[in-house]
Amino acid sequence: MQNDLSLFSELVELLISEEKNHPVATPIDTNVLYETLDLQLTNEPTIDSDFKTSLKDIIRSTPKTASTSFFNQLFGGRIPRATLGDLLAVMLNNSMYTYKVAGPQVGIEKTVLRKICDIIGYPSSADGTFAPGGSMSNYMAVLMARDKYNPSVRNEGINNIMTLYTSEVSHYSIAKNASFIGVGRHQVRSIKTNDKGQMLAEDLDAKITHDIAQGYQPFFVNATAGTTVLGAFDDVKQLSKVCKKHDVWLHLDGAYCGAVIFSDDYKHLTNGIEYTDSFSVNAHKMLGTPLSCSIIVTRDKAHLYQSFSNEADYLYQTNNDDFNLGKTSLQCGRRNDALKLWTLWKSVGGNGLKSIVNHQFHLADIARNYIKNHPDYTLYSYDNSISVCFNYKAIPAKTLCTALYEHSQLMVGFGNFRNQDFVRMVTINTVLQEKDIINFFKTIEEFAISTDF
Ligand SMILES: *Cc1c(COP(=O)(O)O)cnc(C)c1O
């Protein structure tokens, strides 16, 4: 192991210098990928020097998500203390299903979950778990809602039309999950939004009322804290009134921006969160931990047991169920995703988490102000969002983003809202500073001059 640890250090040194000197790796065309890099597997072992060379080549060509040129997706950057926690989790290699096998790591996971339940104002009956990503957290939420509405579905399957509701701009996992749980994609009702991308409570109420009149069974509403494209926050308080009126489960998908709960300055964006039945947040997005670190909590842990526990004599042999987390998780063997968030939180404190969140909103303000002050840009983003959506001159967003990538200038993506395409820059990358935001725009401007669009 010692040899591999020193190799690891050497490779990480290379990665860090590449991030600095070649922040956007030269993309390899998929047609020549297998000729360009040594990815083949053979029956013969590889000699150490070739092994090292292959790894170095692969590292050089792999997209750099922790560089100051990465604005592409809803994660990025590197916070050393969180990375340390994840590296330790790999070395310890526990499986989180029982206290016997994970010991204090179970206490670490429970501590993080308890803190989050307390922060959002859930009662002492609340609990949660770590799922393999935000899509799977949403999956767990909709399953719990289904089983609460009709506990017999667990054994008998679905006999009636059960309907669920989510905004027209919510994450695609809602439709996928409707199919996974046997309810069907066609039973997902798409709720209209206002100009800022927030779900309309009146339309939700109307659609639920209509479905009840048809004899259907409305059982789940998904609200979003930070929609995937615009970064909009649904009005949870208003939506919770509609859900209460019809006695429907309300889930808040906070995969993208649910971490505002850690900041006194921005937690108002999720006002009413205490009235939800479940809430999910990806620490690997706004909080900058390594992928993946996704949390799902529910106000009554009975729902977790109802949907996810199963007796297994070969597994649960010691300790009480409160410490055997396999009773409330999606998977059987489960990697330790809690430790990286705990090491981060332990080292920077709640105040540090708040700073991480506030910094991203600050950078988004810098970006929006830049755009507002430069007439060649059109802004499509609203205040209180860390998705800064814009167009530059008349260059189609897709053309611009693709050219920036192919010429190793910047990693940034595009999106659309109401048939308008635009560049979507996100300030979630934890290594970004103000100068990187300005540099982002300067890079686009200089690139546009030298390129014939
Ligand atoms: C990213 C995202 C998800 C999915 O999370 P994964 O961890 O990528 O599965 C779900 N909902 C929203 C709003 C997201 O932004």
Side-chain angles (χ1 to χ4, degrees), residues 74 131-138 169-174 222-229 253-257 280 282 284-285 291-294 424:
L74 309 181
S135 303
M136 289 297 105
S137 285
N138 290 343
V169 293
S170 62
H171 191 258
Y172 71 84
S173 58
I174 308 300
N222 176 71
T224 309
T227 57
T228 310
V229 174
D253 174 4
Y256 182 13
C257 298
S280 55
N282 276 357
H284 68 252
K285 287 185 173 172
L291 282 153
S292 54
C293 189
S294 184
R424 181 194 59 167

Side-chain angles (χ1 to χ4, degrees), residues 224-334:
T224 309
T227 57
T228 310
V229 174
L230 279 186
F233 289 82
D234 286 335
D235 185 337
V236 182
K237 206 174 213 165
Q238 234 192 344
L239 298 173
S240 74
K241 289 180 190 149
V242 180
C243 292
K244 193 166 179 212
K245 174 174 155 193
H246 298 289
D247 193 19
V248 178
W249 183 290
L250 176 59
H251 172 64
L252 180 60
D253 174 4
Y256 182 13
C257 298
V260 294
I261 61 166
F262 296 105
S263 166
D264 296 337
D265 301 315
Y266 292 97
K267 70 178 182 197
H268 65 90
L269 296 169
T270 56
N271 268 350
I273 191 171
E274 66 274 23
Y275 303 123
T276 59
D277 296 285
S278 54
F279 165 66
S280 55
V281 54
N282 276 357
H284 68 252
K285 287 185 173 172
M286 279 195 103
L287 293 184
T289 71
L291 282 153
S292 54
C293 189
S294 184
I295 292 135
I296 164 85
V297 289
T298 180
R299 63 169 37 255
D300 185 349
K301 67 178 167 199
H303 298 303
L304 283 167
Y305 286 98
Q306 168 159 274
S307 293
F308 301 105
S309 80
N310 216 86
E311 289 308 319
D313 294 340
Y314 50 80
L315 185 61
Y316 304 111
Q317 299 177 342
T318 58
N319 307 103
N320 67 39
D321 279 353
D322 257 359
F323 283 79
N324 286 333
L325 301 182
K327 293 263 168 153
T328 50
S329 66
L330 195 58
Q331 309 103 296
C332 174
R334 185 166 59 97

